[in-house]
Amino acid sequence: RAINFSPGPAKIPDEVLHIVQEELLNYHGQGLGVMEMSHRSKEFEEIILGAEKSVRDLLNVPENYKVLFLQGGGAGQFAAVPLNLMHTGSADYLVTGSWSQSAVKEAEKYGKVNWVAPKSDKFVSIPDASTWKHSPDASYFYHCSNETVHGVEFPETPSVPNNTPVVADISSNFMSRKLDVSKYGLLFGGAQKNVGGAGVTAVIVRDDLLGKSRKECPSVIDYKVQSANSSLYNTPPCFNIYVMGLCLNWIQKHGGLDAMEDLSRQKSSLIYDVIDRSNGFYSAPVDRRYRSRMNIPFRVGTGADQERVEKEFLHEAQKLRMVSLKGHRSVGGMRASLYNAVTVEETRMLADFMEEFRDRSLD
Ligand code: PLP
């Protein structure tokens, strides 16, 4: 297996993939696989209810929240959120990177977006909360808990006045730490980073926010319709829900979210420490207070030689079977993504390689 630092779709634990492989043609003696099974079958009902129970147990989801499994990805939720929740005609958006910016673009199709902080295209920090400008009639306050491209992560839930429901895109730090669901109106996250393959998005939504959708909201992304149908209004992404359920079981078996958080801190510290100790050979642009545990963008070398050095870095890493380290095209440089399935040992190999590459380059 390659050592996979992909930002997503990302590594899935070997233990999970072995189960998938074993059950691919014959799930629990049924003589058929999950991909071939009716979504109305008893077997699939157990799979989807099991996945829901794991989400509820891991995140301690209160009773007055629904857990839905939807299609359309995180980007689908950029539209679903305003279509379902923007009943006052406006909402507050705090933009801290390209993903929250994309969410604004989509929301603007359906109502008025109030920028909580001034526009900026340098996404390396989170504007100070004392400067945020909230609007009194906002239907909700939206933010992206971890900006996958820019590597900016909220250390905690932002506090918002007037009991405005807090909406969070947790696509890239979902199930990587505990969070207090009761502080949120809605959370959504795709599976393809920390909990499985692309194709299913988990939505956790407070009951009182259901039933406020606009009349043109498509039924497949209408939270009330989907919750009334236990996410089976249409054929769900059965196989992806199954894989997600296995990944959630894997997390439970390996110490739950306390362990995932602890490991993510160990792994990200290994890389940030190499960067910080490199005397400027490596540089990470993000404000230290908001450095992501999941995605670490960094540059290699400086000045006119940087492009060549970065190419060589990628080439050398590839020779060691370390893949998907190239940064997003809008940011450049490198990005190491350290989701749940990436091990401390794999991360240490990257850290060692980085130190060795630096020493070699400075010789
Ligand atoms: N939000 C975040 C934070 C993401 O990282 C991504 C994708 O990487 C998305 C939303 C969009 O997800 P999708 O491509 O599944 O629509």
Side-chain angles (χ1 to χ4, degrees), residues 72 79 81 91 130 139 173 184 190 200 204 207 225 241 251 263 291 333 340 348:
V81 166
S130 64
S139 301
N173 60 2
Y184 296 84
V200 59
I204 304 171
D207 285 344
V225 172
I241 293 170
I251 294 173
L263 289 169
R291 281 176 163 182
N340 286 344
R348 192 166 288 125

Side-chain angles (χ1 to χ4, degrees), residues 150-166:
H150 291 89
V152 175
E153 185 175 24
F154 281 76
E156 54 204 31
T157 312
S159 56
V160 169
N162 312 322
N163 282 330
T164 308
V166 176

Side-chain angles (χ1 to χ4, degrees), residues 67-79:
V67 176
L68 307 174
F69 298 107
L70 304 182
Q71 303 192 55
Q77 292 306 308
F78 296 167

Side-chain angles (χ1 to χ4, degrees), residues 72-75 78 99 144 146 148 169 171-172 192-193:
F78 296 167
W99 288 112
C144 177
N146 182 68
T148 321
D169 173 358
S171 294
S172 51
Q192 70 267 30
K193 289 142 193 326

